[in-house]
Amino acid sequence: MCGIVAAVSTDNVLPILMEGLKRLEYRGYDSAGVALVEAPGKLGRAREVGKVAALERLLTAAPLTGMAGVAHTRWATHGEPSQDNAHPHVSGRVAVVHNGIIENHQALKAELVADGYVFTSATDTEVVAHLVERELKTRGELLAAVDAVVARLEGAYALGVIDADRPDRVVGARHGSPLVVGIAEQGCYLGSDPLALLKVTDRFIYLDDGDLVEATREGCVVHALDAAGRRRPVVREVLRYEHDDMVAGKGEFEHYMLKEIHEQPVAVANALEGRLGSDRVLVEAFGPRARTLLSEARQIHLVACGTSYHAAMVARYWIESLAGVPCQVEIASEYRYRDVAAPPGTLLLTLSQSGETADTLAALRHARKCRPDRYIGALSICNVPGSSLVRESDLSLMTHAGPEIGVASTKAFTTQLTALMLVALGLRQLRGGDEELTARIVHHLRYLPTLLGDTLKLEGEIASLAKRFSDYRHTLFLGRGAQMPIAMEGALKLKEISYIHAEAYAAGELKHGPLALIDASMPVVALAPKDELLEKLKSNLQEVRARGGQLLVFADPESGLEQGDGMTVVKVPGCCRFLAPIAYTVPLQLLAYHVAVARGTDVDQPRNLAKSVTVE
Ligand code: G6P
């Protein structure tokens, strides 16, 4: 999704802007651009379709220098990916970069056209550039002009704006799209994600919705609206960013995704840190309101998108079976637009790696607005401290996965599952569930990082199988019980990065439709841990074999499943049935990764996808 970097400094800011754009590449984008105040009254701009490297080549041929600038990676919403549609958009002395969507752009455009403004792009953003330019004529100061403009904008936005006549400042605005201010000795920076700025600072102010910021070389002033709607300077806390050591680069790995797959033992250990007692989960360590929220919840609505939604689906199996609390799991883009019949005592549990997914945030706001009397509170499970979701929830359980760069989510998912198991056990403890089973699962959780480390040793075996898969056009994934959402996650990983069509089914549903697809050209991946459904699953596998389907089964060593004609079996280290969904995720990630590598796709930045979807 779109990324913003802006800077004002005592030195040329171009290298900082370009480094920032490279650090935002992981979010997914289709064009990039930069604009600088080259001298008082003079703006320089370069834009290019494709990768940041293409923009860099353009700048090598025709360099720009300046001590204030804005830069952007664009993920097309209004208007195709093209040079004209790429940001920054310029109007007179003003250059603007924008994330989000200006919903009333058509009405604003009509007004500007009537006023003589000429549009050169198909974007919604260009109206902002012209509006600021027009306001500057009467208001003189960039901050005042941007203030007047944001009052007229509807939709979601983060903005970075420069004025050629003021080479000493950059103005930013945030409303529904993330924006942070980075503070350093030599200057002040804006970024849609702190990762963009970690090369120059680890000190950040996370802006609130409605904030405007004026950044100069000396620092920044944040202006918020008071209760009467007047702009006032406010003091916002400066926070130190914790995870910079984990973004150093790809290290020995060819892709971020592979690095992140291999980081899972450490990431899961971090997610567990300080949260396990000798034979119970330390609910008090979740935060001050945890005990009340988890005790009072009579029903849980789990709401998320993408991979996070799959984690929510697994959690339903765990929470209902371990704690007996009824759960409803829903995709956020559906939940936000329907009349949800939430019974009194509902706990809203949102899950998001980024904490900035527009639909998930909207679902939280929808629940709060429509039936506040029905919800006892909002708990979020999130990987990004200071994100919008964390700030708007009553309680957040951080996953501590460290920054995830690969668009296809891996360690964020397994740490979400780990946090969800902690929640399930917490709910169980507070309801007086049998302590022996709790203690047993807690014991297994302690060994989970080791188990994941052992599971990663399957990589060589899976990599050689992957070559075979890369020629198929479709794949079916099967699982039962809590492995069914893991099958869905495996299918999602494969389609996201290898572009092979993949679908997942509860194995029991096979005979109700997908069996019609089975023939020798249809590979079927199945998950067979040792649990109460294993024998049922074996019958489903027979149904596939009888029709010539090619099986790849990830199975428990004691499952009794053996290699045979048309059936490849990969033995996954034996584990507790409750934690098997976490362990069985790893071979599916490795399979998708190695199939994608064999097919030569862009693993870390798959086509058309974005890491954090901050628009609807
Ligand atoms: C995008 C990403 C997915 C992610 C989903 C939800 O689609 O490409 O990997 O699962 O958003 O993101 P979130 O940050 O809310 O977990």
PDB file of all heavy atoms in Angstrom, residues 59-85:
ATOM      1  N   LEU A  59      17.040   9.575 -11.123  1.00  0.00           N
ATOM      2  CA  LEU A  59      17.693  10.601 -10.306  1.00  0.00           C
ATOM      3  C   LEU A  59      19.212  10.595 -10.479  1.00  0.00           C
ATOM      4  O   LEU A  59      19.871  11.608 -10.268  1.00  0.00           O
ATOM      5  CB  LEU A  59      17.331  10.406  -8.826  1.00  0.00           C
ATOM      6  CG  LEU A  59      15.892  10.808  -8.492  1.00  0.00           C
ATOM      7  CD1 LEU A  59      15.441  10.196  -7.179  1.00  0.00           C
ATOM      8  CD2 LEU A  59      15.763  12.324  -8.445  1.00  0.00           C
ATOM      9  N   THR A  60      19.764   9.457 -10.859  1.00  0.00           N
ATOM     10  CA  THR A  60      21.198   9.419 -11.136  1.00  0.00           C
ATOM     11  C   THR A  60      21.476  10.226 -12.397  1.00  0.00           C
ATOM     12  O   THR A  60      22.450  10.992 -12.481  1.00  0.00           O
ATOM     13  CB  THR A  60      21.679   7.960 -11.325  1.00  0.00           C
ATOM     14  OG1 THR A  60      21.155   7.206 -10.256  1.00  0.00           O
ATOM     15  CG2 THR A  60      23.187   7.832 -11.350  1.00  0.00           C
ATOM     16  N   ALA A  61      20.579  10.094 -13.373  1.00  0.00           N
ATOM     17  CA  ALA A  61      20.759  10.831 -14.629  1.00  0.00           C
ATOM     18  C   ALA A  61      20.508  12.325 -14.426  1.00  0.00           C
ATOM     19  O   ALA A  61      21.193  13.165 -15.003  1.00  0.00           O
ATOM     20  CB  ALA A  61      19.811  10.260 -15.681  1.00  0.00           C
ATOM     21  N   ALA A  62      19.516  12.664 -13.590  1.00  0.00           N
ATOM     22  CA  ALA A  62      19.182  14.079 -13.357  1.00  0.00           C
ATOM     23  C   ALA A  62      18.968  14.282 -11.859  1.00  0.00           C
ATOM     24  O   ALA A  62      17.839  14.257 -11.378  1.00  0.00           O
ATOM     25  CB  ALA A  62      17.914  14.437 -14.141  1.00  0.00           C
ATOM     26  N   PRO A  63      20.064  14.476 -11.109  1.00  0.00           N
ATOM     27  CA  PRO A  63      19.942  14.522  -9.645  1.00  0.00           C
ATOM     28  C   PRO A  63      19.158  15.742  -9.142  1.00  0.00           C
ATOM     29  O   PRO A  63      19.135  16.787  -9.804  1.00  0.00           O
ATOM     30  CB  PRO A  63      21.390  14.580  -9.157  1.00  0.00           C
ATOM     31  CG  PRO A  63      22.252  14.366 -10.347  1.00  0.00           C
ATOM     32  CD  PRO A  63      21.441  14.670 -11.563  1.00  0.00           C
ATOM     33  N   LEU A  64      18.533  15.575  -7.977  1.00  0.00           N
ATOM     34  CA  LEU A  64      17.854  16.675  -7.290  1.00  0.00           C
ATOM     35  C   LEU A  64      18.522  16.863  -5.937  1.00  0.00           C
ATOM     36  O   LEU A  64      18.943  15.877  -5.319  1.00  0.00           O
ATOM     37  CB  LEU A  64      16.379  16.333  -7.047  1.00  0.00           C
ATOM     38  CG  LEU A  64      15.458  16.145  -8.250  1.00  0.00           C
ATOM     39  CD1 LEU A  64      14.091  15.667  -7.783  1.00  0.00           C
ATOM     40  CD2 LEU A  64      15.326  17.448  -9.019  1.00  0.00           C
ATOM     41  N   THR A  65      18.590  18.081  -5.475  1.00  0.00           N
ATOM     42  CA  THR A  65      19.064  18.304  -4.096  1.00  0.00           C
ATOM     43  C   THR A  65      18.174  19.341  -3.444  1.00  0.00           C
ATOM     44  O   THR A  65      17.622  20.217  -4.109  1.00  0.00           O
ATOM     45  CB  THR A  65      20.519  18.830  -4.026  1.00  0.00           C
ATOM     46  OG1 THR A  65      20.600  19.976  -4.868  1.00  0.00           O
ATOM     47  CG2 THR A  65      21.538  17.810  -4.423  1.00  0.00           C
ATOM     48  N   GLY A  66      18.056  19.219  -2.126  1.00  0.00           N
ATOM     49  CA  GLY A  66      17.247  20.183  -1.382  1.00  0.00           C
ATOM     50  C   GLY A  66      17.191  19.775   0.073  1.00  0.00           C
ATOM     51  O   GLY A  66      17.435  18.614   0.401  1.00  0.00           O
ATOM     52  N   MET A  67      16.875  20.722   0.919  1.00  0.00           N
ATOM     53  CA  MET A  67      16.873  20.414   2.356  1.00  0.00           C
ATOM     54  C   MET A  67      15.470  20.156   2.893  1.00  0.00           C
ATOM     55  O   MET A  67      15.302  19.927   4.086  1.00  0.00           O
ATOM     56  CB  MET A  67      17.588  21.509   3.106  1.00  0.00           C
ATOM     57  CG  MET A  67      19.095  21.443   2.791  1.00  0.00           C
ATOM     58  SD  MET A  67      20.103  22.463   3.802  1.00  0.00           S
ATOM     59  CE  MET A  67      19.922  24.027   3.036  1.00  0.00           C
ATOM     60  N   ALA A  68      14.461  20.200   2.002  1.00  0.00           N
ATOM     61  CA  ALA A  68      13.103  19.794   2.395  1.00  0.00           C
ATOM     62  C   ALA A  68      12.498  19.033   1.230  1.00  0.00           C
ATOM     63  O   ALA A  68      12.676  19.433   0.064  1.00  0.00           O
ATOM     64  CB  ALA A  68      12.248  21.011   2.721  1.00  0.00           C
ATOM     65  N   GLY A  69      11.807  17.937   1.523  1.00  0.00           N
ATOM     66  CA  GLY A  69      11.235  17.164   0.421  1.00  0.00           C
ATOM     67  C   GLY A  69      10.192  16.169   0.880  1.00  0.00           C
ATOM     68  O   GLY A  69      10.070  15.859   2.072  1.00  0.00           O
ATOM     69  N   VAL A  70       9.425  15.688  -0.109  1.00  0.00           N
ATOM     70  CA  VAL A  70       8.419  14.645   0.149  1.00  0.00           C
ATOM     71  C   VAL A  70       8.613  13.531  -0.879  1.00  0.00           C
ATOM     72  O   VAL A  70       9.032  13.783  -2.014  1.00  0.00           O
ATOM     73  CB  VAL A  70       6.975  15.196   0.041  1.00  0.00           C
ATOM     74  CG1 VAL A  70       6.631  16.079   1.228  1.00  0.00           C
ATOM     75  CG2 VAL A  70       6.743  15.939  -1.269  1.00  0.00           C
ATOM     76  N   ALA A  71       8.319  12.297  -0.474  1.00  0.00           N
ATOM     77  CA  ALA A  71       8.486  11.160  -1.390  1.00  0.00           C
ATOM     78  C   ALA A  71       7.379  10.158  -1.140  1.00  0.00           C
ATOM     79  O   ALA A  71       6.750  10.156  -0.069  1.00  0.00           O
ATOM     80  CB  ALA A  71       9.849  10.513  -1.152  1.00  0.00           C
ATOM     81  N   HIS A  72       7.153   9.274  -2.137  1.00  0.00           N
ATOM     82  CA  HIS A  72       5.950   8.435  -2.078  1.00  0.00           C
ATOM     83  C   HIS A  72       6.118   7.162  -2.883  1.00  0.00           C
ATOM     84  O   HIS A  72       6.737   7.176  -3.950  1.00  0.00           O
ATOM     85  CB  HIS A  72       4.784   9.246  -2.679  1.00  0.00           C
ATOM     86  CG  HIS A  72       3.434   8.694  -2.411  1.00  0.00           C
ATOM     87  ND1 HIS A  72       2.721   7.995  -3.360  1.00  0.00           N
ATOM     88  CD2 HIS A  72       2.654   8.742  -1.318  1.00  0.00           C
ATOM     89  CE1 HIS A  72       1.536   7.654  -2.849  1.00  0.00           C
ATOM     90  NE2 HIS A  72       1.477   8.084  -1.603  1.00  0.00           N
ATOM     91  N   THR A  73       5.575   6.068  -2.365  1.00  0.00           N
ATOM     92  CA  THR A  73       5.351   4.882  -3.192  1.00  0.00           C
ATOM     93  C   THR A  73       3.848   4.755  -3.336  1.00  0.00           C
ATOM     94  O   THR A  73       3.121   4.812  -2.343  1.00  0.00           O
ATOM     95  CB  THR A  73       5.925   3.612  -2.541  1.00  0.00           C
ATOM     96  OG1 THR A  73       5.532   3.565  -1.175  1.00  0.00           O
ATOM     97  CG2 THR A  73       7.430   3.552  -2.646  1.00  0.00           C
ATOM     98  N   ARG A  74       3.372   4.585  -4.571  1.00  0.00           N
ATOM     99  CA  ARG A  74       1.923   4.587  -4.828  1.00  0.00           C
ATOM    100  C   ARG A  74       1.403   3.192  -5.141  1.00  0.00           C
ATOM    101  O   ARG A  74       2.059   2.439  -5.868  1.00  0.00           O
ATOM    102  CB  ARG A  74       1.632   5.519  -6.009  1.00  0.00           C
ATOM    103  CG  ARG A  74       0.170   5.503  -6.454  1.00  0.00           C
ATOM    104  CD  ARG A  74      -0.116   6.574  -7.504  1.00  0.00           C
ATOM    105  NE  ARG A  74      -1.534   6.638  -7.778  1.00  0.00           N
ATOM    106  CZ  ARG A  74      -2.114   6.139  -8.876  1.00  0.00           C
ATOM    107  NH1 ARG A  74      -1.390   5.572  -9.816  1.00  0.00           N
ATOM    108  NH2 ARG A  74      -3.416   6.235  -9.028  1.00  0.00           N
ATOM    109  N   TRP A  75       0.248   2.885  -4.607  1.00  0.00           N
ATOM    110  CA  TRP A  75      -0.475   1.651  -4.941  1.00  0.00           C
ATOM    111  C   TRP A  75      -1.807   2.126  -5.510  1.00  0.00           C
ATOM    112  O   TRP A  75      -2.629   2.704  -4.792  1.00  0.00           O
ATOM    113  CB  TRP A  75      -0.671   0.814  -3.676  1.00  0.00           C
ATOM    114  CG  TRP A  75      -1.230  -0.555  -3.892  1.00  0.00           C
ATOM    115  CD1 TRP A  75      -0.548  -1.653  -4.327  1.00  0.00           C
ATOM    116  CD2 TRP A  75      -2.565  -0.984  -3.643  1.00  0.00           C
ATOM    117  NE1 TRP A  75      -1.401  -2.739  -4.370  1.00  0.00           N
ATOM    118  CE2 TRP A  75      -2.636  -2.356  -3.956  1.00  0.00           C
ATOM    119  CE3 TRP A  75      -3.720  -0.353  -3.187  1.00  0.00           C
ATOM    120  CZ2 TRP A  75      -3.810  -3.106  -3.833  1.00  0.00           C
ATOM    121  CZ3 TRP A  75      -4.885  -1.096  -3.064  1.00  0.00           C
ATOM    122  CH2 TRP A  75      -4.919  -2.450  -3.384  1.00  0.00           C
ATOM    123  N   ALA A  76      -1.973   1.949  -6.822  1.00  0.00           N
ATOM    124  CA  ALA A  76      -3.054   2.625  -7.542  1.00  0.00           C
ATOM    125  C   ALA A  76      -4.438   2.339  -6.972  1.00  0.00           C
ATOM    126  O   ALA A  76      -4.801   1.186  -6.757  1.00  0.00           O
ATOM    127  CB  ALA A  76      -3.003   2.214  -9.005  1.00  0.00           C
ATOM    128  N   THR A  77      -5.206   3.402  -6.748  1.00  0.00           N
ATOM    129  CA  THR A  77      -6.645   3.262  -6.477  1.00  0.00           C
ATOM    130  C   THR A  77      -7.411   4.070  -7.535  1.00  0.00           C
ATOM    131  O   THR A  77      -8.207   3.517  -8.269  1.00  0.00           O
ATOM    132  CB  THR A  77      -7.031   3.737  -5.056  1.00  0.00           C
ATOM    133  OG1 THR A  77      -6.614   5.082  -4.884  1.00  0.00           O
ATOM    134  CG2 THR A  77      -6.442   2.842  -3.986  1.00  0.00           C
ATOM    135  N   HIS A  78      -7.155   5.376  -7.627  1.00  0.00           N
ATOM    136  CA  HIS A  78      -7.823   6.213  -8.629  1.00  0.00           C
ATOM    137  C   HIS A  78      -6.832   6.499  -9.754  1.00  0.00           C
ATOM    138  O   HIS A  78      -5.912   7.292  -9.585  1.00  0.00           O
ATOM    139  CB  HIS A  78      -8.282   7.530  -8.012  1.00  0.00           C
ATOM    140  CG  HIS A  78      -9.339   7.354  -6.976  1.00  0.00           C
ATOM    141  ND1 HIS A  78      -9.104   6.729  -5.791  1.00  0.00           N
ATOM    142  CD2 HIS A  78     -10.653   7.694  -6.974  1.00  0.00           C
ATOM    143  CE1 HIS A  78     -10.217   6.699  -5.077  1.00  0.00           C
ATOM    144  NE2 HIS A  78     -11.176   7.278  -5.783  1.00  0.00           N
ATOM    145  N   GLY A  79      -7.056   5.861 -10.892  1.00  0.00           N
ATOM    146  CA  GLY A  79      -6.130   6.061 -12.013  1.00  0.00           C
ATOM    147  C   GLY A  79      -5.068   4.977 -12.043  1.00  0.00           C
ATOM    148  O   GLY A  79      -4.567   4.559 -11.005  1.00  0.00           O
ATOM    149  N   GLU A  80      -4.751   4.531 -13.248  1.00  0.00           N
ATOM    150  CA  GLU A  80      -3.795   3.430 -13.452  1.00  0.00           C
ATOM    151  C   GLU A  80      -2.387   3.819 -12.958  1.00  0.00           C
ATOM    152  O   GLU A  80      -2.105   5.001 -12.796  1.00  0.00           O
ATOM    153  CB  GLU A  80      -3.722   3.117 -14.957  1.00  0.00           C
ATOM    154  CG  GLU A  80      -3.399   4.394 -15.701  1.00  0.00           C
ATOM    155  CD  GLU A  80      -3.044   4.225 -17.162  1.00  0.00           C
ATOM    156  OE1 GLU A  80      -3.313   3.173 -17.722  1.00  0.00           O
ATOM    157  OE2 GLU A  80      -2.484   5.173 -17.713  1.00  0.00           O
ATOM    158  N   PRO A  81      -1.519   2.820 -12.783  1.00  0.00           N
ATOM    159  CA  PRO A  81      -0.127   3.158 -12.453  1.00  0.00           C
ATOM    160  C   PRO A  81       0.523   3.852 -13.659  1.00  0.00           C
ATOM    161  O   PRO A  81       0.614   3.262 -14.727  1.00  0.00           O
ATOM    162  CB  PRO A  81       0.522   1.787 -12.201  1.00  0.00           C
ATOM    163  CG  PRO A  81      -0.606   0.825 -12.010  1.00  0.00           C
ATOM    164  CD  PRO A  81      -1.769   1.374 -12.787  1.00  0.00           C
ATOM    165  N   SER A  82       0.881   5.110 -13.526  1.00  0.00           N
ATOM    166  CA  SER A  82       1.523   5.852 -14.623  1.00  0.00           C
ATOM    167  C   SER A  82       2.325   6.989 -14.005  1.00  0.00           C
ATOM    168  O   SER A  82       2.125   7.328 -12.840  1.00  0.00           O
ATOM    169  CB  SER A  82       0.463   6.435 -15.572  1.00  0.00           C
ATOM    170  OG  SER A  82      -0.216   7.488 -14.918  1.00  0.00           O
ATOM    171  N   GLN A  83       3.186   7.584 -14.832  1.00  0.00           N
ATOM    172  CA  GLN A  83       4.003   8.684 -14.314  1.00  0.00           C
ATOM    173  C   GLN A  83       3.129   9.865 -13.881  1.00  0.00           C
ATOM    174  O   GLN A  83       3.340  10.457 -12.837  1.00  0.00           O
ATOM    175  CB  GLN A  83       4.986   9.106 -15.394  1.00  0.00           C
ATOM    176  CG  GLN A  83       6.274   9.635 -14.817  1.00  0.00           C
ATOM    177  CD  GLN A  83       7.301   9.833 -15.905  1.00  0.00           C
ATOM    178  OE1 GLN A  83       7.006  10.457 -16.915  1.00  0.00           O
ATOM    179  NE2 GLN A  83       8.483   9.303 -15.702  1.00  0.00           N
ATOM    180  N   ASP A  84       2.098  10.145 -14.688  1.00  0.00           N
ATOM    181  CA  ASP A  84       1.233  11.284 -14.361  1.00  0.00           C
ATOM    182  C   ASP A  84       0.469  11.079 -13.056  1.00  0.00           C
ATOM    183  O   ASP A  84       0.170  12.040 -12.339  1.00  0.00           O
ATOM    184  CB  ASP A  84       0.218  11.526 -15.486  1.00  0.00           C
ATOM    185  CG  ASP A  84       0.869  12.211 -16.672  1.00  0.00           C
ATOM    186  OD1 ASP A  84       1.992  12.734 -16.493  1.00  0.00           O
ATOM    187  OD2 ASP A  84       0.272  12.196 -17.760  1.00  0.00           O
ATOM    188  N   ASN A  85       0.114   9.830 -12.802  1.00  0.00           N
ATOM    189  CA  ASN A  85      -0.671   9.568 -11.584  1.00  0.00           C
ATOM    190  C   ASN A  85       0.205   9.382 -10.342  1.00  0.00           C
ATOM    191  O   ASN A  85      -0.302   9.368  -9.222  1.00  0.00           O
ATOM    192  CB  ASN A  85      -1.550   8.331 -11.781  1.00  0.00           C
ATOM    193  CG  ASN A  85      -2.696   8.597 -12.744  1.00  0.00           C
ATOM    194  OD1 ASN A  85      -3.113   9.750 -12.882  1.00  0.00           O
ATOM    195  ND2 ASN A  85      -3.196   7.561 -13.398  1.00  0.00           N
TER     196      ASN A  85
END
